[in-house]
Amino acid sequence: MSKPKVYIDGKEGTTGLQIYERLGGREDIELLLIDEDKRKDTEERKKFLNAADLVFLCLPDAAAVEAVSLIENPKTRIIDASTAHRTAEGWVYGFAELLPGQRQRIKFSSRVANPGCHATGFLSTVAPLIELGVLPRDYPLSCYSLTGYSGGGKKMIAEYEAPDRDPLLDSPAPYAIGLCHKHLPEMRQVAGLDFPPNFLPVLGDIYKGMATTVMLQNHLLKGTPNAQDIHDLLAGYYQDQKLVQVTPFGGAGPRLYTSQLAGKDSLEITVSGTQEQTLLTAQFDNLGKGASGAAVQNMNIMMGFEETAGLSL
């Protein structure tokens, strides 16, 4: 039986390179490699896109849309790591653990949109509570998300790692302060919210890692649960999941570190708080469960491989 052919369009970028490094040693697939001097040649790319059983698109949004238009082979399946198709009709959102039946939808889909990193953290806590009927769809949500600089791509990585870098980069930096971050549409649509959350990402002086936090006023929730109740609901929701876990109530200590799960492909949710208020924090690697790790997990599901093959738990 022949091995499935896999092609990475855009393997020179941060996410593409990470996927390439993860798949390079796999013996259960055939990785198609375009000549370096032809990687921007449209006709050559078209040949590879149509020769593959599965394609990873690791491209800017406009280029990802163009790549999809070049695919004429009905058997070619796509995982798009860009923002372009995350809320598009006909595309399945690639977060297997998030909603009932999502893993099966990914398995049988030919078009899967890999989630955004900040959206992954936000949705991991918010979407289940809406699905369970506890969090109203019109709740006025606020969220902040601490992230490593690798998510900004090669230019930002070079900026942070330059020997003569700006001393201001030593301190955390809120950004997208106009409240129009590109992950907001998927955060709203996938969760089923009536309104987008107030969302503030914060860039830190660490290479990779992410901690995304949502705070709730319990009296605005249906049934007025306390923080322990919220913990128990999420723990039950994610029971037996290999890549998403809920830690014991209150967490392991008084601090949550952004880089705690750097190098891992799993996600941990910590729930703490009181009778009146609840704090929800998702910790994961922005390059792992927040990007290339999720993409490889989705490939494994679509191809019928062990779901955690090639991943770091």
Side-chain angles (χ1 to χ4, degrees), residues 124-125 128-129 132 134 216 218 221 225-239 245-252 268-274 277-281:
S124 69
T125 57
L129 295 180
L132 293 169
V134 175
L216 302 175
N218 296 342
L221 306 179
N226 58 34
Q228 178 74 64
D229 295 328
I230 296 296
H231 169 272
D232 295 346
L233 286 169
L234 288 175
Y237 192 90
Y238 287 116
Q239 187 177 5
Q245 294 88 36
V246 178
T247 65
F249 179 71
E268 289 186 358
I269 296 171
T270 297
V271 183
S272 57
T274 65
Q277 298 172 317
T278 299
L279 183 74
L280 306 164
T281 299

Coordinates of all heavy atoms in Angstrom, one line a residue, residues 124-125 128-129 132 134 216 218 221 225-239 245-252 268-274 277-281:
S124 N -10.9 27.3 24.1 CA -10.8 26.1 24.9 C -11.5 26.2 26.2 O -12.0 25.2 26.8 CB -9.3 25.7 25.2 OG -8.7 26.7 26.1
T125 N -11.7 27.4 26.7 CA -12.4 27.6 28.0 C -13.9 28.1 27.7 O -14.8 27.7 28.4 CB -11.7 28.6 28.9 OG1 -11.5 29.9 28.2 CG2 -10.3 28.1 29.3
P128 N -16.8 25.4 25.5 CA -17.5 24.4 26.2 C -18.5 24.9 27.2 O -19.6 24.3 27.3 CB -16.3 23.7 27.0 CG -15.1 24.0 26.2 CD -15.3 25.3 25.7
L129 N -18.3 26.1 27.8 CA -19.2 26.6 28.7 C -20.5 27.1 28.0 O -21.6 27.0 28.6 CB -18.6 27.7 29.5 CG -17.4 27.3 30.5 CD1 -16.9 28.5 31.2 CD2 -17.9 26.3 31.5
L132 N -22.3 23.9 27.1 CA -23.0 23.3 28.3 C -24.2 24.1 28.8 O -24.8 23.7 29.7 CB -22.0 23.1 29.4 CG -20.9 22.0 29.1 CD1 -19.8 22.1 30.1 CD2 -21.5 20.6 29.1
V134 N -24.0 27.1 30.2 CA -23.7 27.9 31.4 C -23.3 29.3 31.1 O -23.8 30.3 31.8 CB -22.5 27.2 32.2 CG1 -22.0 28.1 33.4 CG2 -22.8 25.8 32.6
L216 N -14.6 35.7 34.6 CA -16.1 35.7 34.6 C -16.7 36.2 36.0 O -16.1 35.9 37.0 CB -16.6 34.2 34.4 CG -16.1 33.5 33.1 CD1 -16.6 32.1 33.1 CD2 -16.6 34.3 31.9
N218 N -19.6 35.4 38.2 CA -20.5 34.2 38.3 C -22.0 34.5 38.3 O -22.8 33.7 37.9 CB -20.1 33.3 39.5 CG -18.7 32.8 39.4 OD1 -18.1 32.8 38.3 ND2 -18.1 32.4 40.5
L221 N -23.8 34.2 35.0 CA -23.8 32.8 34.4 C -25.1 32.2 34.7 O -25.7 32.4 35.8 CB -22.6 32.0 34.9 CG -21.2 32.6 34.7 CD1 -20.2 31.6 35.2 CD2 -21.0 32.9 33.2
P225 N -23.2 29.3 39.0 CA -22.2 28.4 39.5 C -21.0 29.1 40.2 O -20.8 30.3 39.9 CB -21.7 27.6 38.3 CG -21.8 28.6 37.2 CD -23.1 29.4 37.5
N226 N -20.3 28.4 41.1 CA -19.1 29.1 41.6 C -17.9 28.5 40.8 O -18.0 27.7 39.9 CB -18.9 28.8 43.1 CG -18.9 27.3 43.5 OD1 -18.4 26.5 42.7 ND2 -19.4 26.9 44.6
A227 N -16.7 29.0 41.2 CA -15.5 28.6 40.4 C -15.2 27.1 40.5 O -14.8 26.6 39.4 CB -14.3 29.4 41.0
Q228 N -15.5 26.5 41.6 CA -15.3 25.0 41.7 C -16.3 24.3 40.7 O -15.9 23.4 40.1 CB -15.5 24.6 43.1 CG -15.4 23.1 43.3 CD -14.0 22.6 43.2 OE1 -13.2 22.9 44.1 NE2 -13.7 21.7 42.3
D229 N -17.5 24.8 40.6 CA -18.5 24.2 39.7 C -18.0 24.3 38.3 O -18.1 23.4 37.5 CB -19.8 24.9 39.8 CG -20.5 24.7 41.2 OD1 -20.2 23.6 41.8 OD2 -21.2 25.6 41.6
I230 N -17.4 25.5 37.9 CA -16.9 25.7 36.6 C -15.8 24.7 36.3 O -15.7 24.1 35.2 CB -16.5 27.1 36.4 CG1 -17.7 28.1 36.5 CG2 -15.8 27.3 35.0 CD1 -18.7 27.9 35.5
H231 N -14.9 24.6 37.3 CA -13.8 23.6 37.1 C -14.3 22.2 36.8 O -13.8 21.5 35.9 CB -12.9 23.6 38.4 CG -11.9 22.5 38.4 ND1 -12.3 21.3 38.9 CD2 -10.7 22.4 38.0 CE1 -11.2 20.5 38.8 NE2 -10.2 21.1 38.3
D232 N -15.3 21.8 37.6 CA -15.8 20.4 37.5 C -16.4 20.2 36.1 O -16.3 19.1 35.5 CB -16.7 20.1 38.6 CG -16.0 20.1 40.0 OD1 -14.8 20.1 40.0 OD2 -16.8 20.1 41.0
L233 N -17.1 21.2 35.6 CA -17.8 21.1 34.3 C -16.7 21.0 33.2 O -16.9 20.1 32.4 CB -18.6 22.4 34.1 CG -19.9 22.5 34.8 CD1 -20.5 23.9 34.6 CD2 -20.9 21.5 34.3
L234 N -15.7 21.8 33.3 CA -14.6 21.7 32.3 C -13.8 20.4 32.4 O -13.5 19.8 31.4 CB -13.7 22.9 32.3 CG -14.3 24.2 31.8 CD1 -13.3 25.3 32.1 CD2 -14.7 24.1 30.4
A235 N -13.6 19.9 33.6 CA -12.8 18.7 33.8 C -13.6 17.5 33.2 O -13.1 16.6 32.6 CB -12.6 18.5 35.3
G236 N -14.9 17.5 33.4 CA -15.8 16.5 32.8 C -15.8 16.6 31.3 O -15.8 15.5 30.6
Y237 N -15.9 17.8 30.8 CA -16.0 18.0 29.4 C -14.8 17.4 28.6 O -14.9 16.9 27.5 CB -16.1 19.5 29.1 CG -16.5 19.9 27.7 CD1 -17.8 20.0 27.3 CD2 -15.5 20.1 26.7 CE1 -18.2 20.4 26.1 CE2 -15.9 20.5 25.4 CZ -17.2 20.6 25.1 OH -17.6 21.0 23.8
Y238 N -13.6 17.6 29.2 CA -12.3 17.2 28.6 C -11.8 15.9 29.1 O -10.7 15.5 28.9 CB -11.3 18.3 28.7 CG -11.5 19.5 27.9 CD1 -11.7 20.8 28.4 CD2 -11.5 19.4 26.5 CE1 -11.9 21.9 27.7 CE2 -11.7 20.5 25.7 CZ -11.9 21.8 26.3 OH -12.1 22.9 25.5
Q239 N -12.6 15.2 29.9 CA -12.2 13.9 30.4 C -11.7 13.0 29.3 O -12.4 12.8 28.3 CB -13.3 13.3 31.2 CG -13.0 12.0 32.0 CD -14.1 11.5 32.8 OE1 -15.2 12.0 32.7 NE2 -13.8 10.5 33.6
Q245 N -6.0 19.0 29.0 CA -6.3 18.6 30.3 C -6.7 19.8 31.2 O -6.3 20.9 30.9 CB -5.1 17.9 31.0 CG -4.6 16.6 30.3 CD -3.7 16.8 29.1 OE1 -2.9 17.7 29.2 NE2 -3.8 16.0 28.1
V246 N -7.5 19.5 32.2 CA -7.8 20.5 33.2 C -7.1 20.2 34.5 O -7.2 19.1 35.0 CB -9.4 20.5 33.5 CG1 -9.7 21.6 34.5 CG2 -10.1 20.9 32.1
T247 N -6.3 21.1 35.0 CA -5.5 20.9 36.2 C -6.4 20.9 37.4 O -7.6 21.3 37.4 CB -4.4 21.9 36.4 OG1 -5.1 23.2 36.6 CG2 -3.6 22.0 35.1
P248 N -6.0 20.3 38.6 CA -6.8 20.4 39.8 C -7.2 21.9 40.1 O -6.4 22.8 39.8 CB -5.8 19.8 40.9 CG -4.9 18.9 40.1 CD -4.7 19.6 38.8
F249 N -8.3 22.0 40.7 CA -8.9 23.3 41.0 C -7.8 24.2 41.7 O -7.2 23.8 42.7 CB -10.1 23.2 41.9 CG -10.7 24.6 42.2 CD1 -11.4 25.3 41.2 CD2 -10.6 25.1 43.5 CE1 -11.9 26.6 41.5 CE2 -11.2 26.3 43.8 CZ -11.8 27.1 42.8
G250 N -7.6 25.4 41.3 CA -6.7 26.4 41.9 C -5.3 26.3 41.3 O -4.5 27.2 41.6
G251 N -5.0 25.3 40.5 CA -3.7 25.2 40.0 C -2.6 24.6 40.9 O -2.9 24.4 42.1
A252 N -1.4 24.5 40.5 CA -0.4 23.9 41.3 C 0.4 24.9 42.1 O 1.2 24.5 43.0 CB 0.6 23.2 40.3
E268 N -3.2 23.0 28.8 CA -3.7 22.8 30.2 C -4.6 24.0 30.5 O -4.2 25.1 30.3 CB -2.5 22.7 31.2 CG -1.8 21.4 31.1 CD -0.7 21.2 32.2 OE1 -0.6 22.2 33.0 OE2 -0.1 20.2 32.2
I269 N -5.7 23.7 31.1 CA -6.6 24.7 31.6 C -6.6 24.7 33.1 O -6.7 23.7 33.8 CB -8.0 24.4 31.1 CG1 -8.1 24.5 29.6 CG2 -9.0 25.4 31.8 CD1 -9.4 24.1 29.0
T270 N -6.3 25.9 33.7 CA -6.4 26.1 35.1 C -7.6 27.0 35.5 O -7.8 28.0 34.9 CB -5.1 26.8 35.7 OG1 -4.0 25.9 35.4 CG2 -5.2 27.0 37.2
V271 N -8.4 26.5 36.4 CA -9.6 27.2 36.9 C -9.4 27.5 38.3 O -9.1 26.7 39.2 CB -10.9 26.4 36.7 CG1 -12.1 27.2 37.1 CG2 -11.0 25.9 35.3
S272 N -9.6 28.8 38.7 CA -9.5 29.2 40.1 C -10.5 30.3 40.3 O -11.2 30.7 39.4 CB -8.1 29.7 40.4 OG -7.7 30.8 39.5
G273 N -10.6 30.7 41.6 CA -11.6 31.8 41.9 C -12.4 31.6 43.1 O -11.9 30.8 44.0
T274 N -13.5 32.2 43.2 CA -14.3 32.2 44.4 C -15.8 31.9 44.1 O -16.1 31.5 43.0 CB -14.3 33.6 45.0 OG1 -14.9 34.5 44.1 CG2 -12.8 34.0 45.3
Q277 N -16.5 34.9 41.5 CA -15.7 35.2 40.3 C -14.9 33.9 39.9 O -14.5 33.2 40.8 CB -14.8 36.4 40.5 CG -15.5 37.7 40.8 CD -14.5 38.8 41.2 OE1 -13.6 38.6 42.0 NE2 -14.8 40.0 40.6
T278 N -14.7 33.8 38.6 CA -13.9 32.7 38.1 C -12.8 33.1 37.2 O -13.1 34.0 36.3 CB -14.8 31.7 37.4 OG1 -15.8 31.2 38.3 CG2 -14.0 30.5 36.8
L279 N -11.6 32.6 37.3 CA -10.5 32.8 36.4 C -10.2 31.6 35.6 O -10.0 30.5 36.2 CB -9.3 33.2 37.3 CG -8.0 33.6 36.5 CD1 -8.2 35.0 35.9 CD2 -6.8 33.6 37.4
L280 N -10.1 31.7 34.3 CA -9.9 30.6 33.4 C -8.6 30.9 32.6 O -8.6 31.9 31.9 CB -11.0 30.4 32.4 CG -12.4 30.2 33.0 CD1 -13.5 30.4 32.0 CD2 -12.5 28.8 33.6
T281 N -7.6 30.1 32.7 CA -6.4 30.3 32.0 C -6.0 29.0 31.2 O -5.9 27.9 31.8 CB -5.2 30.7 32.9 OG1 -5.6 31.9 33.5 CG2 -3.9 30.9 32.1

